[in-house]
Amino acid sequence: MPFEVKMPQLGMNQDSAVIVAWLKAAGDKVTRGEPIFEVETDKATMEVEAAGDGYLAGIRVEEGADIPVGDVIALIVETEDAVAEHACAPVPASVEATETAEVAPNPTPAPETTAKAEETVAPAPVEVRAPAPPALSGPILASPLAKRLAKERGVDLAALRAGGLPEPIHAADLSRAATGGQSQLGARISGDALTALLQRSENADRTVLFAAFAAGAWRDVFETDDATIAIRGLDGATVHYPAHGEAEAGAAMSLVDLCDTRLQGYAPASGGITLSVGADTDQFALTLSFNEASLPMAHAITLLDAIAARVEDPIRQLI
Amino acid sequence: MRSITLSQAVNEAIAEEMRRDETVFLIGEDVAEAGTPFKVTSGLVEEFGTDRVIDTPIAEPGFMGLAVGAAMTGARPIVDLMFGDFLFLVMDQLCNQAAKTHYMSGGKLNVPLVLRTNLGATRRSAAQHSQSLHALVAHIPGLKVAMPSSAYEAKGLMKTAIRDDNPVVIFEDKLMYQDKAEVPEEEFLIPFGEAKVLREGRDVTLIGTSSMRQVCEAAATMLEADGVSAEVIDPRTIAPLDEATILQSVKKTTRAIVVDEGHQNFGTTAEIAARISEKAFYHLDAPVIRMGAMDVPIPFSPALEDLTVPTPEQVAENARRIVAGELIHAL
């Protein structure tokens, strides 16, 4: 069994410490009590000793990295052969979270390559997560209450940890995890009728039409007269539909029109209900991103279906 | 309502019970004319005479054994043990005789005896006069242990102790004798095994015995300023212990800190924390924290002695840490 080398708690109120230097390299033989790395807290710099005999392996952090107390930073394995088995890429001194964004490889469709293009088109928007940290071994540090709630709700704590939720996991982390994420619904709609309409009318603005469809669907589904759509332009500017200058916070949902790009879907990582529309040959790809705590799945389905129906048959919106 | 000192409250309780029941008598060192070093029993000898308020030589095992025999044969002695530290001198009489006689006589004999003594450090009395040894006797089946946390509790628990047909050890905090609290003029008793919720809270339960109740209340006030809502519970008796009230609270707050002035190792804090961990395990969102007296002989040096007892600041700091979800004990 490999030993986990963890960032030790060196002071009463210390949350993390900086790795000043590794005194041993991966593969080096270490004996219990031998210094293996040097850390700096806000108070002092000190050497941390190996807790057992073996070979240093799986160094997960580089020198200069600020590591929370309790985090596993390396392993001590029993045999030299096991060193390679546990090798992993170290976390650099500064880790930048990767933006959640979607870039579906969607080459510009050309008639002669349609078949090939279809193969490479992403079938549906796929959520791109920040790269998961190295898989952690050992028991999950979670409070008994968090473990019980996770079991009751069918939440996989190991998956939460792999997703980057710091340990120890408490009940509040679980509620955030259960309600904080964005859900997505996707639809592919025939674009024939809308395309024909846009071609017939020189004044018709596609994006505004999508906003009108979204607002109309919203009014129908939620039986309200008030439905403002915040149109988020690709240049970063936001305008409202209907245009009466409301703040985005007052908008029912956001709209992102990606039809002039190769992109198919956009799902913001945090908050809000967002509809994105992408064009794909003779179809439109609709993606509704929402938080189930604020928009239950059943309502979201009804809403996106109502929007899709309007895109498919724009006359429905006009009458 | 009138406020009286803890010392006056104990005096009233003893006087009332001695008036009510002529089999009650008080025995110990300096209990008569001197009224004990803490002046708790002043005036009793004038009212009840030297037959019922009996000064003894400095011979704890002797007068404790005498009182156990008197209790077995129909009297209700209140034994005054000047310092809690002297419990070691009366261990055989208390733990081997008083605690077991009812069982070993097949229920034929009772030992309705009260052993009044004290606990508490920071009085600059050094290691042999500063201990809090209640866990030692709470460990022995057959003994009841009461720990009043104010004048009100001191009076109500003392009267209940005197009327109990079993041996009861009652620990008063020697630093609290002059502390005043509201105590009703009319008669009242506080039943054993009923904890008191002194303050309701949402985030953490602070359980404090004896003077640690005040420490917990002060900590709760500090925490309130930080937006942390602490519930404060005084168990009042640790044997029997009101588990239900404690568990109900912890199930609500999901976190607990147990504060007691006995040494932390193998102590009262450990017992209460263990019961919470066993019986409310699936409701806990943080480890149960024990805060007892430092595990050293109590130093004479005032600067060092003060470090051995939990303070409101330390309780509040621990509460903030567990409420914030800090990693308290890494695996």
Side-chain angles (χ1 to χ4, degrees):
Chain A
M1 269 294 287
F3 286 101
E4 290 182 339
V5 179
K6 291 181 178 174
M7 177 56 73
Q9 176 114 33
L10 300 164
M12 273 291 280
N13 295 314
Q14 173 214 349
D15 302 324
S16 66
V18 174
I19 308 269
V20 179
W22 281 101
L23 305 174
K24 294 282 175 185
D28 282 0
K29 189 171 180 4
V30 296
T31 52
R32 185 188 169 94
E34 193 175 7
I36 50 174
F37 63 96
E38 198 175 27
V39 294
E40 183 184 288
T41 66
D42 50 357
K43 291 206 177 77
T45 300
M46 58 192 86
E47 290 176 347
V48 178
E49 298 170 351
D53 300 336
Y55 294 86
L56 193 61
I59 292 181
R60 294 170 187 187
V61 293
E62 282 182 357
E63 290 173 357
D66 194 10
I67 304 299
V69 167
D71 271 19
V72 176
I73 56 180
L75 299 172
I76 293 176
V77 295
E78 279 170 6
T79 63
E80 204 166 359
D81 298 338
V83 172
E85 196 182 309
H86 291 281
C88 65
V91 176
S94 70
V95 187
E96 284 174 18
T98 307
E99 283 283 317
T100 303
E102 291 180 43
V103 184
N106 183 11
T108 312
E112 63 273 23
T113 60
T114 302
K116 194 182 170 193
E118 272 174 9
E119 278 171 20
T120 54
V121 161
V126 178
E127 196 181 346
V128 179
R129 281 171 165 269
L136 300 171
S137 58
I140 296 167
L141 293 188
S143 74
L145 178 61
K147 284 183 177 168
R148 175 166 67 86
L149 293 176
K151 197 175 176 195
E152 283 171 7
R153 298 175 189 174
V155 174
D156 182 358
L157 290 176
L160 291 183
R161 174 169 71 175
L165 187 64
E167 294 168 282
I169 299 168
H170 293 92
D173 300 321
L174 211 61
S175 325
R176 274 197 288 278
T179 61
Q182 290 287 98
S183 302
Q184 279 183 42
L185 287 170
R188 309 212 127 218
I189 306 300
S190 162
D192 295 346
L194 182 59
T195 308
L197 179 74
L198 288 167
Q199 281 166 355
R200 275 204 301 277
S201 167
E202 284 175 15
N203 296 330
D205 179 316
R206 184 189 63 228
T207 307
V208 171
L209 271 180
F210 285 136
F213 296 156
W218 187 283
R219 283 193 296 266
D220 275 7
V221 171
F222 297 107
E223 294 175 357
T224 170
D225 296 331
D226 187 32
T228 305
I229 308 299
I231 302 169
R232 293 178 61 181
L234 303 186
D235 55 358
T238 299
V239 295
H240 288 88
Y241 173 91
H244 44 64
E246 272 193 48
E248 189 171 1
M253 60 193 286
S254 301
L255 169 71
V256 179
D257 182 353
L258 298 169
C259 292
D260 294 330
T261 72
R262 293 176 183 79
L263 311 182
Q264 291 212 315
Y266 167 70
S270 59
I273 302 169
T274 301
L275 173 71
S276 70
V277 187
D280 176 16
T281 56
D282 54 354
Q283 288 190 319
F284 290 110
L286 307 183
T287 305
L288 186 69
S289 158
F290 60 102
N291 183 318
E292 293 194 31
S294 54
L295 180 66
M297 185 194 68
H299 290 167
I301 288 174
T302 314
L303 178 66
L304 186 60
D305 193 46
I307 296 169
R310 285 165 167 77
V311 174
E312 201 167 54
D313 184 9
I315 303 302
R316 183 192 288 258
Q317 174 71 15
L318 300 175
I319 53 173
Chain B
M1 198 188 296
R2 65 169 184 156
S3 284
I4 58 171
T5 64
L6 191 146
S7 179
Q8 288 171 314
V10 174
N11 186 298
E12 274 188 11
I14 294 171
E16 284 175 20
E17 291 307 300
M18 287 181 78
R19 276 175 218 133
R20 188 188 61 83
D21 181 349
E22 63 179 17
T23 65
V24 177
F25 73 93
L26 179 65
I27 184 167
E29 295 158 7
D30 280 343
V31 294
E33 277 74 18
T36 79
F38 301 101
K39 304 295 170 204
V40 175
T41 60
S42 299
L44 294 178
V45 72
E46 283 78 6
E47 180 175 353
F48 299 103
T50 50
D51 283 351
R52 293 181 69 194
V53 181
I54 306 166
D55 267 339
T56 67
I58 302 176
E60 286 84 359
F63 67 75
M64 182 65 190
L66 183 158
V68 174
M72 283 183 200
T73 50
R76 289 186 172 267
I78 303 166
V79 179
D80 187 295
L81 196 60
M82 196 182 284
F83 282 89
D85 310 72
F86 305 162
L87 271 171
F88 293 115
L89 291 162
V90 302
M91 272 295 170
D92 187 65
Q93 290 76 6
L94 180 67
C95 300
N96 274 335
Q97 312 305 330
K100 295 178 174 60
T101 297
H102 183 70
Y103 291 78
M104 295 186 72
S105 68
K108 290 196 173 73
L109 296 171
N110 290 327
V111 183
L113 173 148
V114 177
L115 181 59
R116 243 200 87 228
T117 190
N118 50 41
L119 56 73
T122 70
R123 197 171 161 269
R124 318 314 179 206
S125 306
Q128 296 160 326
H129 295 79
S130 303
Q131 297 171 90
S132 301
L133 298 174
H134 44 286
L136 213 62
V137 289
H139 185 65
I140 305 301
L143 299 179
K144 296 184 178 180
V145 180
M147 302 182 68
S149 62
S150 81
Y152 175 80
E153 273 77 21
K155 182 168 183 186
L157 291 171
M158 177 58 79
K159 287 173 69 83
T160 305
I162 294 168
R163 295 186 193 186
D164 200 294
D165 283 338
N166 301 286
V168 177
V169 187
I170 188 157
F171 289 86
E172 294 150 10
D173 188 310
K174 47 183 152 340
L175 268 94
M176 287 175 60
Y177 281 123
Q178 295 314 310
D179 290 0
K180 287 189 169 182
E182 289 191 343
V183 179
E185 305 258 8
E186 51 279 11
E187 180 169 69
F188 69 99
L189 282 85
I190 297 175
F192 284 1
E194 278 189 21
K196 188 176 184 182
V197 179
L198 295 148
R199 180 184 177 120
E200 298 208 350
R202 195 181 56 240
D203 300 323
V204 59
T205 301
L206 308 178
I207 299 146
T209 58
S210 186
S211 60
M212 293 300 109
R213 159 192 159 176
Q214 274 76 17
V215 166
C216 289
E217 286 181 311
T221 305
M222 291 176 188
L223 288 165
E224 193 173 23
D226 299 338
V228 173
S229 161
E231 185 144 311
V232 178
I233 295 181
D234 170 14
R236 304 204 288 197
T237 57
I238 56 168
L241 179 68
D242 181 0
E243 239 175 49
T245 299
I246 292 170
L247 293 176
Q248 189 184 11
S249 170
V250 176
K251 284 178 181 177
K252 176 179 70 173
T253 62
T254 73
R255 303 173 188 94
I257 299 177
V258 192
V259 192
D260 175 81
E261 213 184 320
H263 292 301
Q264 186 166 299
N265 281 351
F266 302 92
T268 303
T269 56
E271 176 62 28
I272 297 175
R275 293 205 205 183
I276 295 169
S277 297
E278 279 174 2
K279 298 182 180 179
F281 184 77
Y282 296 104
H283 299 265
L284 288 174
D285 208 17
V288 181
I289 305 292
R290 295 174 297 150
M291 295 183 72
M294 201 181 281
D295 291 307
V296 294
I298 307 298
F300 171 69
S301 152
L304 294 178
E305 184 181 23
D306 288 348
L307 297 176
T308 65
V309 180
T311 63
E313 289 77 14
Q314 290 165 350
V315 175
E317 178 58 20
N318 274 334
R320 280 187 208 103
R321 291 181 67 201
I322 58 170
V323 170
E326 272 188 45
L327 191 64
I328 304 291
H329 297 294
L331 286 178

